[in-house]
Amino acid sequence: MGKTKKTKKQPFKKYIQWMWRLFFIGLVGFGLLFGGAALEWYGPMPDLQQLENPRTNLATQIISSDGIILGKYYLDDNRTPITYEELPQNMVKALIATEDERFYEHAGIDWKGTLRAFAYLGKRGGASTISQQLARQIFVGVRSRNKVKAVLQKAQEWVIAVQLEQRYTKNEILSLYLNKYDFGYQADGVRSAAKIFFNKTPQTLSLEESATLVGMLKNSSLYNPIRRKELVKERRNIVFQQMVRNELITEEEKDSLSQLPITITYTPESHREGLATYFRAYLKEFMDDWIANNPKPDGTKHSLYRDGLRIFTTIDSRMQAKGEAAVEAHMKNLQKEFFKQNTRRANPTAPFLDLREGEIDTLLERTAYRTERWRKMRLAGIGKEDILASFYEKVPMRVFSWKGERDTIMTPMDSIRYYKHFLRASLMSMEPQSGHIKTWVGGFNYKHFQYDQVKQGRRQIGSTFKPFLYATAIDQLKLSPCDSLPDALFCIEPMKHGNIDAWCPKNSGDKYGRTRTLKNALANSVNTVSARIMDLVGPRPVINLARKMGITSNLPAVPSIALGTPDISLFEMVGAYSTFANQGIYVKPVVITRIEDKNGRALYEVVPETQDVLSHEAAYVTVNLLQGVTKAGSGARLRHAGLEKTSYVYQNVITGYPYIFENPIAGKTGTTQNQSDGWFMGMVPNLATGVWVGGEDRSVHFKDIAFGQGATMALPIWAGYMKELYQDSDLRISTENFLGPENLSIPIECEELDEDGAVVKTKPKADLDALGF
């Protein structure tokens, strides 16, 4: 009996012993597993500095003057961090309810969830806390498919999660997690995701939008709202169910929200798309130069793509959007007319005029040499003849059209000729008093036309140069807008003012024979009067004035510059014209106010550069002359109405007419030879704006001046832009008079003109009589 009882007790005792052994083995193994992770047996662990400053690539932000992110510079990570306070609370609640219900209760590891996961082998949900997921994202990396390695990685996550909890507050962990997650489509972090998927800031996301992003956290590749909307909707509704479970919304709210469709407003943050693309391309060049010349204190260079710099620009996003819209509206309309006039039947050499076929072939080949296709083939070691031959082989391609991109098959050489058909345009606005550039439109589609016509492009400026000539005469000779000169053929003799041959400019339309005031002559771009003024002052003082007003382009010291023969950029012209509106003081145009590092420390702040160029009186008198252009000259269509009923051009080409502006406007149109370039420079007291329109090549132009003049090609863009600016009172665009000097010694109120613009009665000043006029 005794032996039998002893025999029965021994198996039970052994069972208990084995249980304790297994328990201690498990405990030791558990300790070794996590102790080994802490001791870096399975791989390097982050040190204290890395934990407190986790390395994350941060995109550089380009911020408008009104606080909008215009774009970013990044390579792989389009990430812009935000604080916990900037997170929408509906997203925070949805995140905790879905991913980590006991987030505020544990210290990095949810033991209850872990035991449940072990007991049910993960079938009733995982056990990874938000802190563990963050540890994996920042330090551990993608889970290995090797089961042993996966267990070791899990141990590392646990240790790092506990360390993170010791060094960060719960709210900081939430913001770190949402800032780090990759939502796909270059949406790195919640701010980029809100912009790319919904075109919103995180703070303005609705509950259903926040729930969509939280649902994507499980697997953004699988739960892809662009490709798998129904699957994403199912996942989003699970988030709603979790919020009901945690008493964050009611059952009724869940039922209502679950019925909503997944609505995506896909807004990719590409360097070639979005607002102010041409400006952003210029800004990158600026930043590259700044980075090269402004190293960090330790001597290393800032990274435009990884350091999270913040560039505060002068661009106003509202004005920029209106500028781009005005350019697009008119160019779409103008291009329609250009295509109509340049069919192969109407123009066999379309889109070119004044060129023979052999010259056209040469022009197209030279353009081919500058293409990206040619550059890449040359880098690949392909010979010139083979490259050129490939330009005559048809290939599939996607090309630009005003009705949207279209897929087609054509030769690269034919595509070059196709793109030559499109007229180009640019617009720039600047505050004369501060030098702040508010709008920069270098073209209408950066993806297909990457040449910036604001600063890169230099074109003949035509009569828009004449105000520099008139301002020189006013400043040096005290001429008045009311002084009169004969409108008759006039020659500057050979060997005078740098001329080799006699210079005898003609008027547009070849009409002469009147006496005109200076105001009337400038308003109507009378070339003979400009020639007489140039003879009075000479080209050198005019060049000196233009240089002081910021024009750096080549200005030959010859009389013909009076008619705008030099090639000058729109950037230079707007800066120079702003001097007139700013009482004769030139302020160098600026695009950046300051640059900050990711912590908000200022790295660069702009210091305005100014120069007194003209007296207040001379500048004001010049502005008065330019006001005459918009009252009774080539810019008068800004004010009148009625011609849309009788004129084909006004009815079909001049976009937005009639405009009927009533406020003071100083402006000047410009048209170059053969209508290759159309300009309009327009100013109100606190904004100077310039517009240029023309073909890529000077041989691409309208045949008729009615269509190709600056008043038709460029002025409508200015008018459409300004009309929209005045619709937004928050922009505070001035409708006031230009401020004149207290004591004006030069008379500006002129005598009456007849209906042809001729002076009825004139009293020339004594000094003009003495000069032989």
Side-chain angles (χ1 to χ4, degrees):
M1 284 285 289
K3 283 187 178 182
T4 306
K5 287 182 180 180
K6 192 173 181 180
T7 305
K8 287 182 179 179
K9 286 181 179 179
Q10 282 180 344
F12 181 73
K13 185 177 180 181
K14 288 182 179 179
Y15 176 75
I16 297 297
Q17 288 174 343
W18 274 108
M19 287 290 290
W20 279 107
R21 285 172 187 168
L22 288 173
F23 174 76
F24 282 115
I25 290 171
L27 192 64
V28 171
F30 193 80
L32 287 173
L33 178 65
F34 292 101
L39 294 171
E40 301 188 349
W41 291 355
Y42 321 131
M45 294 284 282
D47 58 26
L48 180 63
Q49 185 177 2
Q50 288 175 302
L51 282 169
E52 293 183 347
N53 298 284
R55 178 63 179 169
T56 301
N57 291 335
L58 303 178
T60 289
Q61 300 177 72
I62 308 163
I63 304 170
S64 70
S65 62
D66 55 321
I68 301 299
I69 296 177
L70 294 173
K72 301 177 186 178
Y73 298 122
Y74 59 90
L75 290 177
D76 300 317
D77 295 347
N78 175 22
R79 181 175 290 103
T80 304
I82 60 176
T83 63
Y84 175 81
E85 288 70 28
E86 295 174 282
L87 290 171
Q89 284 304 299
N90 57 29
M91 178 177 287
V92 172
K93 292 174 181 177
L95 170 63
I96 294 172
T98 307
E99 294 293 326
D100 193 350
E101 290 177 319
R102 287 173 289 278
F103 176 69
Y104 287 110
E105 300 169 16
H106 62 68
I109 300 171
D110 181 2
W111 293 108
K112 184 177 179 180
T114 301
L115 290 172
R116 183 196 65 223
F118 274 121
Y120 295 97
L121 301 177
K123 292 179 181 180
R124 293 193 179 182
S128 287
T129 64
I130 290 173
S131 303
Q132 288 173 257
Q133 293 179 48
L134 177 62
R136 181 166 67 247
Q137 286 183 38
I138 298 180
F139 300 110
V140 179
V142 179
R143 176 82 75 240
S144 174
R145 293 187 178 182
N146 181 293
K147 291 183 178 180
V148 175
K149 285 185 178 180
V151 170
L152 298 180
Q153 284 180 326
K154 191 71 175 177
Q156 289 179 308
E157 286 174 22
W158 281 28
V159 173
I160 295 170
V162 172
Q163 292 175 330
L164 288 172
E165 291 270 355
Q166 293 171 348
R167 286 168 175 80
Y168 294 97
T169 66
K170 290 289 187 177
N171 290 349
E172 287 173 334
I173 288 173
L174 288 172
S175 60
L176 279 170
Y177 176 68
L178 289 171
N179 282 326
K180 179 64 180 174
Y181 192 81
D182 180 1
F183 290 87
Y185 293 93
Q186 296 178 324
D188 299 304
V190 69
R191 171 176 270 175
S192 294
K195 178 68 170 65
I196 289 173
F197 294 119
F198 302 110
N199 196 24
K200 290 184 177 183
T201 60
Q203 300 94 320
T204 59
L205 291 173
S206 64
L207 174 56
E208 60 270 22
E209 290 164 343
S210 290
T212 299
L213 294 181
V214 168
M216 292 173 66
L217 295 170
K218 186 174 179 68
N219 184 334
S220 60
S221 296
L222 177 63
Y223 298 104
N224 182 326
I226 306 295
R227 299 173 59 189
R228 303 186 182 97
K229 285 191 176 182
E230 285 305 312
L231 189 61
V232 172
K233 183 179 178 181
E234 290 176 14
R235 178 62 188 167
R236 181 203 65 184
N237 292 348
I238 290 174
V239 174
F240 291 146
Q241 182 61 52
Q242 286 298 107
M243 294 184 77
V244 171
R245 169 187 163 95
N246 287 272
E247 299 181 350
L248 297 171
I249 61 174
T250 65
E251 191 74 35
E252 291 74 16
E253 287 174 321
K254 183 211 76 173
D255 292 340
S256 176
L257 288 166
S258 297
Q259 299 303 313
L260 296 174
I262 296 292
T263 303
I264 299 298
T265 306
Y266 183 53
T267 313
E269 290 194 320
S270 163
H271 302 305
R272 294 186 174 192
E273 298 172 300
L275 202 61
T277 46
Y278 292 89
F279 169 73
R280 286 187 273 141
Y282 163 73
L283 187 62
K284 182 185 178 300
E285 294 179 11
F286 178 97
M287 288 302 299
D288 287 343
D289 182 67
W290 182 85
I291 287 169
N293 293 288
N294 294 272
K296 297 178 183 179
D298 63 2
T300 61
K301 290 185 178 181
H302 295 281
S303 172
L304 187 62
Y305 304 106
R306 297 185 176 90
D307 285 357
L309 301 177
R310 303 177 76 201
I311 308 170
F312 293 87
T313 73
T314 61
I315 297 295
D316 186 295
S317 69
R318 299 161 297 180
M319 296 174 69
Q320 179 70 29
K322 294 177 191 300
E324 292 183 10
V327 168
E328 180 176 333
H330 180 60
M331 292 310 296
K332 188 182 295 186
N333 198 33
L334 189 68
Q335 190 66 49
K336 189 188 302 181
E337 182 62 33
F338 189 77
F339 277 140
K340 189 184 296 183
Q341 296 185 21
N342 280 276
T343 62
R344 282 303 177 95
R345 179 177 294 180
N347 176 18
T349 59
F352 308 102
L353 291 171
D354 319 314
L355 291 182
R356 297 186 300 273
E357 281 297 339
E359 294 173 317
I360 293 172
D361 292 341
T362 301
L363 185 152
L364 294 176
E365 283 193 17
R366 286 177 178 172
T367 303
Y369 301 156
R370 302 194 299 268
T371 62
E372 185 69 7
R373 179 188 180 88
W374 188 284
R375 187 186 71 83
K376 287 181 177 179
M377 294 181 78
R378 286 293 286 174
L379 287 174
I382 302 173
K384 180 180 177 180
E385 290 185 3
D386 291 335
I387 297 175
L388 190 58
S390 75
F391 272 74
Y392 291 93
E393 297 172 1
K394 289 187 176 183
V395 293
M397 62 179 68
R398 178 168 291 181
V399 298
F400 171 83
S401 84
W402 276 113
K403 294 181 179 179
E405 289 184 329
R406 63 186 183 91
D407 294 318
T408 186
I409 297 176
M410 65 170 72
T411 70
M413 195 63 76
D414 283 342
S415 75
I416 291 173
R417 188 163 188 159
Y418 169 74
Y419 277 113
K420 295 283 188 185
H421 280 78
F422 288 93
L423 298 173
R424 314 299 166 85
S426 56
L427 177 150
M428 178 180 140
S429 271
M430 172 179 149
E431 285 181 351
Q433 293 75 24
S434 65
H436 288 187
I437 294 174
K438 309 307 293 182
T439 306
W440 180 308
V441 186
F444 46 76
N445 188 296
Y446 186 77
K447 182 177 179 181
H448 291 278
F449 305 95
Q450 293 186 19
Y451 192 75
D452 173 39
Q453 297 289 356
V454 167
K455 204 165 193 297
Q456 277 184 296
R458 285 179 165 82
R459 296 295 290 255
Q460 279 193 351
I461 56 170
S463 294
T464 54
F465 192 82
K466 288 177 181 175
F468 305 126
L469 169 66
Y470 278 70
T472 303
I474 292 167
D475 192 45
Q476 293 190 358
L477 305 177
K478 303 300 179 185
L479 295 189
S480 161
C482 304
D483 290 326
S484 58
L485 292 171
D487 178 9
L489 278 171
F490 179 83
C491 293
I492 295 180
E493 59 265 30
M495 309 309 295
K496 186 178 182 182
H497 298 315
N499 247 12
I500 296 176
D501 300 316
W503 183 59
C504 309
K506 295 181 178 181
N507 288 337
S508 176
D510 224 11
K511 295 180 181 179
Y512 313 93
R514 304 184 183 95
T515 300
R516 294 181 184 269
T517 63
L518 266 61
K519 180 176 284 190
N520 179 273
L522 183 63
N524 293 282
S525 283
V526 179
N527 291 338
T528 56
V529 174
S530 295
R532 291 174 187 275
I533 297 174
M534 177 57 79
D535 193 40
L536 290 175
V537 298
R540 182 55 63 187
V542 180
I543 292 171
N544 291 341
L545 177 66
R547 290 278 181 249
K548 291 176 183 177
M549 297 170 79
I551 292 180
T552 58
S553 295
N554 180 46
L555 300 174
V558 294
S560 61
I561 63 170
L563 306 187
T565 53
D567 291 351
I568 301 177
S569 71
L570 181 62
F571 181 91
E572 296 168 85
M573 289 296 289
V574 175
Y577 264 68
S578 293
T579 307
F580 298 132
N582 194 34
Q583 304 173 19
I585 301 170
Y586 170 73
V587 182
K588 186 176 181 180
V590 294
V591 296
I592 291 177
T593 54
R594 72 183 185 279
I595 302 170
E596 293 180 353
D597 65 14
K598 65 180 180 181
N599 298 315
R601 183 172 63 91
L603 304 176
Y604 166 84
E605 291 186 273
V606 71
V607 178
E609 297 180 40
T610 65
Q611 181 179 0
D612 289 342
V613 175
L614 290 168
S615 67
H616 186 183
E617 182 177 54
Y620 180 71
V621 172
T622 305
V623 166
N624 181 266
L625 282 170
L626 293 168
Q627 285 182 275
V629 175
T630 68
K631 289 179 179 178
S634 55
R637 61 186 64 183
L638 288 171
R639 304 193 182 281
H640 60 57
L643 291 177
E644 74 278 8
K645 299 175 183 177
T646 58
S647 167
Y648 175 85
V649 175
Y650 281 85
Q651 198 174 67
N652 297 282
V653 184
I654 302 179
T655 311
Y657 178 86
Y659 312 113
I660 319 178
F661 287 98
E662 297 179 352
N663 57 292
I665 298 170
K668 186 71 190 80
T669 59
T671 309
T672 61
Q673 189 174 13
N674 296 328
Q675 300 81 242
S676 293
D677 305 273
W679 292 79
F680 184 73
M681 308 296 299
M683 297 180 291
V684 296
N686 66 348
L687 193 69
T689 302
V691 178
W692 168 86
V693 175
E696 180 183 357
D697 301 283
R698 298 186 195 281
S699 54
V700 178
H701 58 81
F702 281 104
K703 190 173 184 179
D704 191 333
I705 195 169
F707 298 95
Q709 63 180 297
T712 302
M713 292 209 297
L715 179 146
I717 294 176
W718 187 93
Y721 170 62
M722 292 299 293
K723 289 282 279 188
E724 287 301 312
L725 293 187
Y726 281 124
Q727 293 296 315
D728 188 345
S729 59
D730 290 339
L731 296 174
R732 298 182 179 180
I733 307 301
S734 176
T735 57
E736 303 298 318
N737 288 311
F738 291 89
L739 184 63
E742 290 184 9
N743 298 307
L744 185 63
S745 64
I746 300 174
I748 60 174
E749 295 299 327
C750 299
E751 296 160 307
E752 295 295 323
L753 306 179
D754 66 18
E755 60 182 6
D756 294 319
V759 178
V760 176
K761 293 185 297 181
T762 182
K763 298 178 182 177
K765 288 177 63 176
D767 58 347
L768 285 180
D769 289 334
L771 288 166
F773 295 115

